[in-house]
Amino acid sequence: MVQLYLVRHAIAEERGAKWPDDTKRPLTKDGAKRMRAVARGLNRLGVTFDIVLTSPLVRARQTADQLVSALDVKPPIVVASSLAPGARFADLLADIKKQPRRERIARGGHEPDLGETASRLAGLKRPLEFKKGAVCRIDLDAVPPSGAGLLRWFATPALLRSIGR
């Protein structure tokens, strides 16, 4: 079994003239601070990761850095191109499958891909809506899964921050 944790990146700088290349938009100071609080909430819940896979976009990598920095047990971070916006679902499964001895995998990314991935893995009819910093856990029997995974929980960032206080 694989516990897959889907994590949306934290609050980033606004698109616009200051950040003409969307791939380089960083987190805001508040976004980084809030993501550390989300991680403290995950710690209090006893959540641990064997590895954190992240999109190559700056804001996603910074989210992974903030997440790991606040965890008691620090997993490695691996940048995966399959987590960039618009990537193919099959490529995501291939990257997860490359982690054969990992049972608790965090996958950081972007909307709407993250919500669509969650929906597809859990066998839902509609995408889940991930607020920035939201986390969900889906248990899979294998990778690739033989059927729908089990959506164990879905937590808003506000809930996780309040648990982390």
Side-chain angles (χ1 to χ4, degrees):
M1 185 184 76
V2 173
Q3 295 174 10
L4 183 62
Y5 295 86
L6 303 177
V7 183
R8 182 164 183 209
H9 69 78
I11 300 167
E13 293 289 340
E14 291 294 324
R15 292 180 180 164
K18 187 175 178 183
W19 301 104
D21 183 348
D22 187 53
T23 66
K24 302 212 182 311
R25 278 192 307 125
L27 296 183
T28 64
K29 286 182 183 180
D30 188 49
K33 178 182 171 185
R34 287 176 178 221
M35 196 65 221
R36 285 190 304 273
V38 163
R40 286 192 300 273
L42 293 170
N43 266 332
R44 296 217 39 206
L45 292 171
V47 173
T48 60
F49 308 123
D50 297 324
I51 193 165
V52 175
L53 302 176
T54 183
S55 156
L57 277 63
V58 169
R59 60 191 175 272
R61 174 58 201 244
Q62 289 176 334
T63 297
D65 290 339
Q66 294 303 316
L67 178 66
V68 168
S69 73
L71 293 174
D72 292 337
V73 178
K74 313 249 186 279
I77 297 172
V78 174
V79 175
S81 60
S82 67
L83 303 182
R88 293 178 339 124
F89 183 73
D91 294 336
L92 163 67
L93 292 179
D95 276 342
I96 293 172
K97 195 171 183 174
K98 290 178 189 173
Q99 310 301 325
R101 291 184 279 290
R102 314 280 191 179
E103 295 176 354
R104 296 174 311 266
I105 300 172
R107 177 251 196 244
H110 311 271
E111 278 287 84
D113 298 342
L114 204 60
E116 291 168 0
T117 296
S119 173
R120 193 164 177 180
L121 290 172
L124 305 174
K125 293 183 181 188
R126 293 190 178 142
L128 295 176
E129 183 181 335
F130 280 74
K131 291 186 179 255
K132 292 176 181 157
V135 181
C136 85
R137 175 181 156 187
I138 299 174
D139 290 351
L140 306 173
D141 63 351
V143 178
S146 62
L150 177 61
L151 176 61
R152 287 288 186 181
W153 53 263
F154 187 9
T156 65
L159 174 65
L160 290 170
R161 288 193 308 268
S162 69
I163 292 169
R165 289 190 183 125

